[in-house]
Amino acid sequence: LIVRVGCLLAGVSFAGVFLGDDYWWLVLVMLVFSFFWNATLPQFEATTFNYLGEQSHRYSGIRLWGSVGFIVAACA
Protein backbone atom coordinates (compact mmCIF):
# COMPACT_ATOMS: atom_id res chain seq x y z
CA LEU A 1 0.00 0.00 0.00
CA ILE A 2 2.82 2.41 0.85
CA VAL A 3 4.54 1.78 -2.48
CA ARG A 4 1.31 2.33 -4.40
CA VAL A 5 0.52 5.56 -2.57
CA GLY A 6 4.09 6.78 -3.10
CA CYS A 7 3.90 6.06 -6.83
CA LEU A 8 0.51 7.75 -7.05
CA LEU A 9 1.79 10.86 -5.27
CA ALA A 10 4.89 10.90 -7.48
CA GLY A 11 2.73 10.74 -10.59
CA VAL A 12 0.34 13.41 -9.38
CA SER A 13 3.18 15.71 -8.40
CA PHE A 14 4.93 15.17 -11.75
CA ALA A 15 1.75 16.24 -13.53
CA GLY A 16 2.58 19.70 -12.20
CA VAL A 17 5.04 20.16 -15.07
CA PHE A 18 2.03 20.77 -17.31
CA LEU A 19 0.69 23.56 -15.10
CA GLY A 20 3.50 26.06 -15.54
CA ASP A 21 6.80 26.71 -17.21
CA ASP A 22 8.41 29.08 -14.73
CA TYR A 23 11.86 27.93 -13.59
CA TRP A 24 11.07 27.97 -9.86
CA TRP A 25 7.75 26.22 -10.43
CA LEU A 26 9.54 23.38 -12.21
CA VAL A 27 12.15 23.24 -9.45
CA LEU A 28 9.37 22.87 -6.87
CA VAL A 29 7.56 20.23 -8.93
CA MET A 30 10.75 18.21 -9.40
CA LEU A 31 11.63 18.45 -5.70
CA VAL A 32 8.20 17.15 -4.67
CA PHE A 33 8.30 14.44 -7.34
CA SER A 34 11.81 13.37 -6.30
CA PHE A 35 10.77 13.23 -2.66
CA PHE A 36 8.04 10.68 -3.36
CA TRP A 37 9.82 8.77 -6.13
CA ASN A 38 13.10 8.34 -4.25
CA ALA A 39 11.20 7.20 -1.17
CA THR A 40 9.32 4.61 -3.23
CA LEU A 41 12.18 2.99 -5.17
CA PRO A 42 13.99 1.26 -2.26
CA GLN A 43 10.69 -0.08 -0.95
CA PHE A 44 9.84 -1.40 -4.40
CA GLU A 45 13.17 -3.20 -4.61
CA ALA A 46 12.69 -4.65 -1.12
CA THR A 47 9.26 -5.91 -2.20
CA THR A 48 10.87 -7.51 -5.26
CA PHE A 49 13.47 -9.28 -3.11
CA ASN A 50 10.74 -10.42 -0.73
CA TYR A 51 8.76 -11.82 -3.64
CA LEU A 52 11.81 -13.64 -5.04
CA GLY A 53 12.52 -15.32 -1.70
CA GLU A 54 15.16 -18.01 -2.15
CA GLN A 55 15.56 -17.16 -5.84
CA SER A 56 17.26 -13.80 -5.24
CA HIS A 57 19.77 -14.65 -7.99
CA ARG A 58 17.00 -13.80 -10.49
CA TYR A 59 17.07 -10.14 -9.44
CA SER A 60 19.89 -9.27 -11.85
CA GLY A 61 17.83 -10.58 -14.77
CA ILE A 62 14.85 -8.52 -13.66
CA ARG A 63 17.01 -5.38 -13.54
CA LEU A 64 18.58 -6.23 -16.90
CA TRP A 65 15.28 -6.59 -18.73
CA GLY A 66 13.90 -3.53 -16.98
CA SER A 67 16.85 -1.54 -18.32
CA VAL A 68 16.42 -2.97 -21.81
CA GLY A 69 12.72 -2.09 -21.71
CA PHE A 70 13.55 1.45 -20.62
CA ILE A 71 16.04 1.89 -23.46
CA VAL A 72 13.54 0.60 -26.02
CA ALA A 73 10.81 2.89 -24.65
CA ALA A 74 13.14 5.89 -24.67
CA CYS A 75 14.23 5.26 -28.25
CA ALA A 76 10.69 4.72 -29.55
Side-chain angles (χ1 to χ4, degrees), residues 48-71:
T48 303
F49 271 115
N50 189 35
Y51 177 78
L52 289 174
E54 295 295 322
Q55 299 178 359
S56 61
H57 63 279
R58 294 180 50 211
Y59 182 73
S60 59
I62 292 170
R63 289 298 304 253
L64 170 69
W65 287 110
S67 297
V68 170
F70 176 79
I71 292 168

Side-chain angles (χ1 to χ4, degrees), residues 12-46:
V12 168
S13 63
F14 186 77
V17 300
F18 299 111
L19 300 177
D21 58 356
D22 181 59
Y23 174 77
W24 291 110
W25 171 253
L26 293 176
V27 167
L28 177 66
V29 168
M30 294 310 295
L31 281 172
V32 174
F33 165 74
S34 294
F35 175 80
F36 290 115
W37 189 244
N38 290 328
T40 302
L41 286 179
Q43 295 177 34
F44 185 71
E45 294 199 9

